[in-house]
Amino acid sequence: MRALIERYLACYNAFDIGGMVSLLSPNVFFEHFSSGELTAATQGKLEFAALAERTAGLFHEREQTITSFDAGNNAVRVGIAFRGVWAIASPDGAHPGSVIDLSGSSEFTFDGVWIGSIVDRS
């Protein structure tokens, strides 16, 4: 499970959307929460890929780093440190080139050899 998550994050950091999607179950479920509010949700690879393409354009650079790893039966909770450099003006008023640093977590479940769901919280 850890190796699969590390491959997914390596693809994310490299803006390799195809690589990310190749690691997902056909029916992958994704949610992103920011400050406790749901900001994005997808069902299936096509919706996930479309969201990933849109959000990739927001950043010149981005990196998620694992800060903790807690594995359960069929789920893993990973602590994440995120650093990004905005490519565009952000909704909170940051200008292109501004750096954003966040911490949060991602919860992964698995569907056989694939990632079955991802829930991001920041």
Side-chain angles (χ1 to χ4, degrees):
M1 289 187 278
R2 185 175 183 120
L4 186 59
I5 292 169
E6 288 174 345
R7 284 196 339 246
Y8 171 84
L9 292 178
C11 291
Y12 176 90
N13 293 343
F15 295 88
D16 180 1
I17 307 304
M20 290 168 58
V21 172
S22 74
L23 303 172
L24 305 177
S25 165
N27 296 314
V28 66
F29 174 74
F30 172 81
E31 287 183 329
H32 180 269
F33 292 87
S34 180
S35 300
E37 292 187 35
L38 180 65
T39 59
T42 65
Q43 181 71 48
K45 280 184 167 186
L46 291 177
E47 285 184 16
F48 181 93
L51 177 64
E53 288 288 346
R54 283 193 310 272
T55 59
L58 299 176
F59 297 98
H60 281 300
E61 301 172 25
R62 65 182 186 186
E63 181 178 26
Q64 288 190 32
T65 305
I66 295 174
T67 59
S68 64
F69 191 89
D70 184 26
N73 289 339
N74 190 38
V76 174
R77 184 166 192 237
V78 179
I80 296 287
F82 173 84
R83 182 184 183 281
V85 178
W86 287 106
I88 63 170
S90 74
D92 66 359
H95 299 288
S98 297
V99 175
I100 182 173
D101 287 299
L102 299 171
S103 61
S105 65
S106 293
E107 298 159 12
F108 293 85
T109 64
F110 301 90
D111 180 10
V113 298
W114 311 108
I115 295 171
S117 71
I118 305 168
V119 178
D120 288 338
R121 299 180 194 282
S122 61

